[in-house]
Amino acid sequence: METYYHPADLGKFSEMGKGNPELWQKFMSYYSAVFAEGALSEREKALIALAVAHAVQCPYCIDAYTQACLEKGSNVEEMTEAVHVACAIRGGASLVHGVQMRNVAGKLSM
Amino acid sequence: MLVTLKSRANPLSSAKEQLRLLSARNGFPPFVEKLRAAGLKPLRATGISIFQINVGKLCNQTCGHCHVDAGPDRREIMSLETAELCIRALAQTDIPAVDITGGAPELAPCFRYLVEQTKALGRHVMDRSNLTVLLVSSQADLAEFLARHQVEIIASLPYFRAAQTDAQRGEGVFEKSIAALRKLNALGYGRDGSGLKLNLVYNPAGAFLPPRQESIEKQFKRELEQKHGVAFNHLYTITNMPISRFLEFLLSTNNYEGYMERLANAFNPAAAAGVMCRTTLSVGWEGTLYDCDFNQMLELPTGFGAPRHIGAFDAAQLGARRIVTANHCYGCTAGAGSSCGGTIA
């Protein structure tokens, strides 16, 4: 079936380097440094990435970081909680804008 | 309970069928090409420091990833005569360690003979235990026997939670494993200063690579200590080998190609240079010699003119033998590598 997203396309990510190798190299070097063990562990960073992947709704990132989380030793319970964190922040971000709605409504109403 | 491939007459119970599938490749290069590119072809042994004896396929569990296709219905068991040949061969050498595996090796009648005789030769003994065997009624004195002979226990525990462990090893296995670990701890196993080594083995509960050994070891220590009061010495991470029942899982869940690509893409020349087959000799329940336990299950005996039976054991020849490889070998060379003693590189 023809779909917009193809799982195999994740493997072609490096083709993005063909248009501008210098920017690609800079991005990849930064990317590797971000995910290296630091003040946060690689496992914690993969869980954050999984949550963000759900917030930005990137199917490639969800595939990649589900596998990465498992390979860093996380379990599905932890990964589910990470997704809920993304969900809570997204939902909370909508809800907190209700204050804006209330401000405007208050101004317009008698 | 899952039953063995053999009892289901599954085509994958045939080593030939497994090798046929593995050689068909589907999108990953032959292992031998990677080996050549790494300057390691032909791969050769560099001596024998571990004499690994697989005493047979009988087991009280039927784990989903088992590369032996072991289970309660299997009857292949090493005879006392073959065990004697193993001890005779060992006595001719100064190989420092004997690694006894199965199945559940403790269920084989020759197990205690092998332990006693190996210790009498002054060599170190490792027992690859599934833990739950310590709770089998016929094995009530097993833990004390192992402690008395200072046997190092290398025990399978794929995860520190029940859900993942039971999904791979069977319902209730986690709880029984914890009970067995407590029994071993009570004897001093895994406790500092006791001299009784208890190492655990993690393997992924699915089609993915293991985490970094030192990082998952910390998690295991924290979780097992805090939640279950269990102590152990070290955790070894092992990659699931794409053969036998794990191969069945990969094929039936449409994970085979992705997993093989993952292994091949993660080929690490440093891990390949340190693969365990270079320093291990594996003996099968019938006395046939192999480069490793995985080759044993694929019925790929030692080749290139090396002796093929324990009765023809020749330490010098076997210690420099050329190793038989095939595409399943990617399982030992991916990422940080995988061996019976955990990561390699």
Side-chain angles (χ1 to χ4, degrees), chain B residues 54-242:
Chain B
N54 190 315
V55 292
K57 303 187 183 196
L58 175 64
C59 190
N60 57 314
Q61 291 184 187
T62 322
C63 304
H65 71 297
C66 182
H67 70 278
V68 177
D69 194 28
D73 58 298
R74 301 303 297 260
R75 294 291 171 265
E76 300 89 337
I77 283 269
M78 182 175 278
S79 68
L80 197 56
E81 291 71 30
T82 305
E84 281 169 0
L85 288 176
C86 290
I87 296 298
R88 210 172 297 161
L90 188 67
Q92 296 170 28
T93 72
D94 56 1
I95 298 170
V98 171
D99 183 337
I100 310 178
T101 188
E106 305 89 340
L107 296 177
C110 66
F111 174 77
R112 295 191 188 203
Y113 166 84
L114 285 170
V115 170
E116 286 163 352
Q117 295 300 310
T118 304
K119 291 305 288 189
L121 290 171
R123 317 295 169 86
H124 182 63
V125 182
M126 292 174 270
D127 169 27
R128 287 193 183 270
S129 179
N130 68 15
L131 288 174
T132 63
V133 74
L134 291 158
L135 307 182
V136 170
S137 54
S138 66
Q139 301 297 321
D141 62 340
L142 176 63
E144 287 79 7
F145 171 84
L146 296 170
R148 193 164 61 248
H149 291 88
Q150 301 259 305
V151 173
E152 176 181 345
I153 297 176
I154 301 172
S156 303
L157 190 71
Y159 207 63
F160 47 75
R161 290 189 179 196
Q164 288 79 4
T165 300
D166 290 0
Q168 182 181 101
R169 301 179 74 76
E171 198 62 35
V173 166
F174 181 77
E175 203 178 314
K176 287 183 188 170
S177 301
I178 293 295
L181 286 168
R182 288 194 178 121
K183 192 173 182 178
L184 292 170
N185 280 171
L187 289 167
Y189 268 108
R191 302 286 187 199
D192 288 341
S194 70
L196 294 172
K197 281 191 191 163
L198 172 58
N199 297 320
L200 299 184
V201 175
Y202 163 100
N203 69 289
F208 51 93
L209 296 183
R212 226 198 301 203
Q213 190 164 276
E214 59 272 29
S215 117
I216 191 84
E217 181 184 272
K218 277 186 202 154
Q219 273 182 277
F220 262 69
K221 287 208 165 181
R222 190 178 58 236
E223 294 277 335
L224 290 180
E225 172 64 38
Q226 286 177 2
K227 297 199 172 120
H228 306 283
V230 161
F232 64 95
N233 296 107
H234 290 292
L235 180 79
Y236 299 148
T237 59
I238 289 187
T239 303
N240 286 321
M241 188 56 61

